[in-house]
Amino acid sequence: MDTSGSLSITHLIFNASPLVQIVMLFLLGLSIASWTIIFSKSNSYKAARAKADEFEDKFWSGIDLNNLYQECIKKGQDLIGLEVIYSSGFKEFVRLINSGPADQEVVMDGTYRQMKVSQSREMENLESHLATLATIGSISPYIGLFGTVWGIMHAFIALAAVKNATLSMVAPPIAEALIATAMGLFAAIPAVMFYNRFVSKVEALENRYINFMDEFATILNRRLVRVRSEMNMKNNDVPQTNTQQPSSSYSQKSYNHPLGEEQHSPYSRARANTHSSPYQTPGVEGDRYRNTSRSPLQGQ
């Protein structure tokens, strides 16, 4: 109580019972941890959305997928979100193609599985510490209520020994106890509010990643069908006089991916006869996919 007779919050805190002070200190720590997570995750989700926008703009611009993969490799450990999913899927696709004349369904299934693993790891990073934020929002009010109940209980026990209790004697200990409840609410309300907001952001990014995986797998499957059909057509045009010669269609990685290996394989010959790279993203078509794949929540 200051010179004017009014109660000061700092005076009430420093004169509270030891257990109530411990509760207040613990709630202060929870509040600091909560706001640290809030600022950290806000920056993470903002960066993830920006990187996703940048990568999708580049992906749907018509760039050759091999060149895009090389750009991702140069970044090393700085890959985020869609870049990680694309790099892992493209790398597995190349490995399966170069391993031999594997069935098309096997190639696409293996590619999608690898992208799914990378997507799950990215989601784990996005969802990290959200459980802590939810826990803080759930337990903080109860911890503050415990401090309040304990403080009021001791206040009434002390007043029981006084014959003539006045309001000035009752008010300070009760006010000390109520501060614990206020601190519990102060820690819980932002934690719950931002937890719900972050969950919606994570769901929007997850849907965005899944949509990209489906679109990327569709592009690879469509181009693989086209290239193999062109290879079959060229093989059917081979003169009968060459049938006695040993074929090198499968001995020299006949399904070689454009990563700079055998340039005289049937794959590369079929690729050379196309007007564009068989693994090049569609520019105009990409604008339509890109505009429809982004959900309204991503701009939040």
Side-chain angles (χ1 to χ4, degrees):
M1 187 175 295
D2 55 19
T3 55
S4 61
S6 59
L7 295 176
S8 173
I9 295 179
T10 55
H11 180 270
L12 293 173
I13 293 175
F14 286 109
N15 287 274
S17 63
L19 183 60
V20 176
Q21 289 181 340
I22 293 175
V23 170
M24 292 179 181
L25 184 62
F26 183 67
L27 290 172
L28 179 62
L30 291 180
S31 180
I32 294 174
S34 173
W35 282 105
T36 301
I37 295 174
I38 288 171
F39 285 117
S40 176
K41 302 306 292 184
S42 296
N43 295 330
S44 298
Y45 296 145
K46 183 178 180 180
R49 290 197 308 273
K51 285 289 185 179
D53 291 339
E54 179 183 354
F55 181 81
E56 281 192 335
D57 291 338
K58 185 179 297 184
F59 180 84
W60 294 113
S61 64
I63 187 174
D64 185 84
L65 298 186
N66 181 54
N67 296 334
L68 182 59
Y69 174 76
Q70 296 298 333
E71 291 182 8
C72 293
I73 292 299
K74 293 178 182 178
K75 294 183 179 181
Q77 302 296 326
D78 296 332
L79 299 180
I80 299 176
L82 292 180
E83 296 175 336
V84 177
I85 297 173
Y86 168 79
S87 299
S88 62
F90 190 79
K91 183 178 180 180
E92 182 66 17
F93 180 79
V94 171
R95 183 184 295 112
L96 293 172
I97 290 295
N98 288 338
S99 63
D103 185 72
Q104 180 174 348
E105 183 178 355
V106 174
V107 173
M108 298 310 304
D109 183 67
T111 302
Y112 195 86
R113 286 177 181 272
Q114 187 62 37
M115 288 193 294
K116 186 64 178 178
V117 171
S118 299
Q119 185 259 348
S120 298
R121 291 174 179 171
E122 290 300 307
M123 294 309 302
E124 288 180 2
N125 294 332
L126 291 175
E127 293 174 351
S128 61
H129 303 301
L130 287 186
T132 303
L133 204 62
T135 302
I136 293 175
S138 299
I139 68 174
S140 293
Y142 297 103
I143 296 175
L145 183 61
F146 169 76
T148 299
V149 171
W150 185 271
I152 293 176
M153 180 181 66
H154 278 265
F156 280 107
I157 291 174
L159 292 175
V162 180
K163 294 182 179 181
N164 296 321
T166 62
L167 183 61
S168 60
M169 297 176 60
V170 177
I174 294 179
E176 294 169 2
L178 291 176
I179 292 178
T181 300
M183 293 184 66
L185 296 175
F186 178 77
I189 292 175
V192 174
M193 181 178 67
F194 280 97
Y195 171 79
N196 294 330
R197 180 176 176 83
F198 290 159
V199 167
S200 65
K201 290 181 179 293
V202 170
E203 290 178 353
L205 287 171
E206 182 179 12
N207 292 333
R208 192 169 184 179
Y209 292 166
I210 294 175
N211 291 337
F212 172 79
M213 290 164 52
D214 294 337
E215 292 168 352
F216 184 41
T218 302
I219 290 174
L220 292 179
N221 185 62
R222 183 168 61 245
R223 302 309 166 88
L224 184 58
V225 170
R226 190 183 74 181
V227 171
R228 288 192 171 181
S229 62
E230 291 176 355
M231 291 171 57
N232 292 332
M233 292 175 60
K234 293 184 74 66
N235 291 333
N236 293 332
D237 293 338
V238 176
Q240 296 296 327
T241 57
N242 296 332
T243 57
Q244 301 299 327
Q245 299 179 0
S247 175
S248 60
S249 297
Y250 298 110
S251 62
Q252 297 182 358
K253 296 182 180 179
S254 60
Y255 291 95
N256 179 43
H257 195 273
L259 282 179
E261 300 185 7
E262 288 91 343
Q263 298 298 323
H264 300 287
S265 64
Y267 176 89
S268 60
R269 291 197 299 269
R271 182 170 179 254
N273 287 285
T274 58
H275 296 288
S276 61
S277 170
Y279 293 98
Q280 185 176 6
T281 56
V284 178
E285 182 183 0
D287 291 335
R288 183 176 72 253
Y289 279 119
R290 183 185 58 198
N291 294 332
T292 58
S293 62
R294 296 181 183 176
S295 64
L297 294 176
Q298 293 170 6
Q300 296 182 0

